[in-house]
Amino acid sequence: VEVAWTPPAVGAYTVFAYVDPDNQIDEISEQNNMYPGDFAVREANLIWYVNTSVISSGNGRTPETAFRTIGEAWPYTYHGDSVQVAQGTYNEQISVPIGRHLIGAGSELTTIQGNGEGTTLYIGNSASISGFTITGSGDSYWDAGIWIADNASPIITNNRITDNSMAIVGYCFNAPCSN
């Protein structure tokens, strides 16, 4: 059963689903036909902030309360959200999830530095990355600065990709391949 509902505002909601709302099934207890579900509704297309120069990570909601690493931001993001990264060098291997946007302060100012093993950055479908130098992949055959997920169509713009085994890899492992 599919139900469409648009919440009236941001907040916490409890939604009840009834399996037998008209009591057509004869049972001793009708209570097992009701399922409550609690969930939160938040704003869409939020911007999260990352700055390697902060002393300790905050909640990422403002430049003043930025996360310290890019990887810390992803669990808080949803499809359509952006992660705005301040200038600096970020020593991490990361994945840009489906539908998220990673925005650096410019390729001459913001670097994602891999650890010399594997791929430095994985990117999913409908995701984007812009404004970084991406470097430091491993030196094995399939290691890359950027690895595009199978059948994904990300947007990769205004980046400098250097000192990697390969710059960008997009390989289709699961046919049919369309991108």
Side-chain angles (χ1 to χ4, degrees):
V1 174
E2 184 177 318
V3 176
W5 171 69
T6 302
V10 171
Y13 294 91
T14 300
V15 174
F16 295 91
Y18 295 92
V19 175
D20 183 26
D22 299 324
N23 292 323
Q24 298 295 312
I25 302 170
D26 190 29
E27 296 183 74
I28 294 172
S29 172
E30 295 292 326
Q31 283 299 93
N32 66 346
N33 289 333
M34 179 184 71
Y35 175 78
D38 295 328
F39 63 94
V41 175
R42 72 158 178 92
E43 302 91 351
N45 303 320
L46 293 179
I47 298 174
W48 299 89
Y49 296 90
V50 175
N51 188 336
T52 193
S53 68
V54 297
I55 304 225
S56 63
S57 288
N59 66 8
R61 293 301 302 126
T62 68
E64 294 77 26
T65 61
F67 295 116
R68 188 161 165 63
T69 69
I70 298 167
E72 287 177 278
W74 296 129
Y76 297 92
T77 65
Y78 289 93
H79 196 280
D81 284 358
S82 297
V83 174
Q84 182 74 50
V85 181
Q87 71 179 44
T89 297
Y90 296 83
N91 296 305
E92 53 188 310
Q93 290 174 294
I94 62 169
S95 293
V96 181
I98 294 171
R100 275 53 160 214
H101 310 288
L102 185 61
I103 306 161
S107 63
E108 61 286 337
L109 300 173
T110 315
T111 299
I112 298 172
Q113 172 70 51
N115 65 6
E117 295 180 17
T119 292
T120 302
L121 184 137
Y122 293 88
I123 189 164
N125 195 34
S126 301
S128 68
I129 181 169
S130 180
F132 290 90
T133 291
I134 299 163
T135 188
S137 78
D139 58 8
S140 295
Y141 184 75
W142 287 107
D143 295 343
I146 298 176
W147 185 281
I148 299 173
D150 207 15
N151 272 329
S153 294
I155 299 171
I156 301 169
T157 59
N158 301 315
N159 297 291
R160 183 174 166 255
I161 305 166
T162 184
D163 296 326
N164 298 287
S165 178
M166 290 190 280
I168 300 174
V169 174
Y171 188 83
C172 180
F173 290 101
N174 299 307
C177 301
S178 60
N179 301 321

